[in-house]
Amino acid sequence: MTKATVRGRAGTGTSARQRTVAAAARAASKRAEKARESSLDEEAAATESAVVDEASGSGTGADAEAREQAKGAVRDEARAEKGAKPARRISGGVTAVLAALVVAGLVAAAMLGWEYREDQRTQEARTEALAVARKAAPEILSYDYRHLGRDFAKARAHLTGSFAGKYRKTTTKVVAPTAEKYQGVVTATVAKPPAGGAPAASVVSASPEKVVVLLFMNQVTNSTQVSGPRLDLNRVRMTLVDTSGGWKVSALDAL
């Protein structure tokens, strides 16, 4: 009876030690998880040492096996963490690359949209400015000594900027006195192809705010200085700018 009691106590002591070892293993595993951001190899080694220290209170056999199991669990945990870190780094790298590609795509789409709008605006500017040039050129280059004031006012309506001031000065001091003295009448038209078609005018360059047009002009002059109508064939380069009042002529040069 005494021997059985001794064996029972020994069994109870062994079970208690195993529970102690298991508890120590769980505590060590928790500490290993908290230290994941540190050097995994060093922390794993430290954790294994802690397991040995906590579990080395007594016994061999079952105790030793439990200690080995605890150390194995710590090593497995460390290896799993080491394998997970590269995966997280790869995942983070892929996310960054995808984000960069998305941003680049958005920027490219915005640029394409801006270029498309600019092309549309430029095409509209070409069409509108060319129509204005075909109408303005004859009125700017024509006059009749019998109603100079009316003709010059009609021409100035097409002008803008410093060119408007230069035109007023030239017509007032030079053109008007000469036209009145010699009864000058100048009629200008945009030349047309012999076979018919649109007037001879084309866009040289264009942007949404500025258009340069080349026109071929026919000017017929009558005055007391010539025996009959005189035809002059001229080429003029007209620069037009977009203003709050529409397309206006900012320069006119004979070529």
Side-chain angles (χ1 to χ4, degrees), residues 193-229:
S202 60
V203 175
V204 176
S205 63
S207 71
E209 294 80 25
K210 180 180 178 181
V211 177
V212 178
V213 178
L214 178 65
L215 302 105
F216 292 83
M217 304 296 299
N218 292 332
Q219 281 184 297
V220 178
T221 301
N222 287 281
S223 74
T224 58
Q225 291 293 97
V226 294
S227 57

Side-chain angles (χ1 to χ4, degrees), residues 14-252:
T14 300
S15 176
R17 284 194 298 273
Q18 289 176 345
R19 286 196 298 272
T20 301
V21 171
R26 287 195 296 272
S29 178
K30 289 182 179 179
R31 282 197 296 273
E33 178 142 4
K34 291 180 181 179
R36 282 176 184 172
E37 299 303 322
S38 304
S39 173
L40 292 175
D41 291 335
E42 292 180 3
E43 288 298 325
T47 304
E48 288 183 19
S49 177
V51 170
V52 173
D53 290 342
E54 292 183 21
S56 62
S58 59
T60 57
D63 297 340
E65 184 178 353
R67 286 197 299 272
E68 287 301 321
Q69 290 177 353
K71 289 194 289 184
V74 172
R75 285 195 296 270
D76 291 343
E77 181 80 16
R79 282 195 294 269
E81 181 64 21
K82 289 177 69 176
K85 276 207 161 189
R88 285 199 296 270
R89 286 197 296 269
I90 292 172
S91 177
V94 171
T95 301
V97 171
L98 290 176
L101 289 175
V102 169
V103 172
L106 291 175
V107 171
M111 289 297 296
L112 289 174
W114 179 83
E115 290 178 0
Y116 176 77
R117 288 192 297 273
E118 285 295 292
D119 289 343
Q120 290 293 104
R121 290 181 59 207
T122 299
Q123 187 58 45
E124 292 173 0
R126 291 172 63 94
T127 302
E128 294 172 2
L130 183 59
V132 171
R134 285 171 172 163
K135 180 181 178 182
E139 294 184 356
I140 294 172
L141 298 174
S142 300
Y143 58 85
D144 187 324
Y145 76 96
R146 289 165 293 193
H147 38 74
L148 292 174
R150 184 184 69 187
D151 293 342
F152 293 157
K154 184 185 294 185
R156 286 196 301 270
H158 296 290
L159 310 182
T160 189
S162 61
F163 182 60
K166 292 178 182 178
Y167 177 85
R168 181 187 291 274
K169 183 177 180 180
T170 300
T171 53
T172 301
K173 293 186 176 182
V174 178
V175 178
T178 303
E180 290 171 346
K181 181 178 180 179
Y182 299 109
Q183 300 180 356
V185 177
V186 177
T187 304
T189 58
V190 181
K192 292 185 178 181
S202 60
V203 175
V204 176
S205 63
S207 71
E209 294 80 25
K210 180 180 178 181
V211 177
V212 178
V213 178
L214 178 65
L215 302 105
F216 292 83
M217 304 296 299
N218 292 332
Q219 281 184 297
V220 178
T221 301
N222 287 281
S223 74
T224 58
Q225 291 293 97
V226 294
S227 57
R230 187 186 70 201
L231 175 63
D232 295 314
L233 306 179
N234 299 315
R235 292 186 304 159
V236 296
R237 181 177 60 222
M238 180 180 290
T239 302
L240 301 100
V241 294
D242 190 15
T243 70
S244 58
W247 288 93
K248 301 293 184 180
V249 180
S250 62
L252 185 65

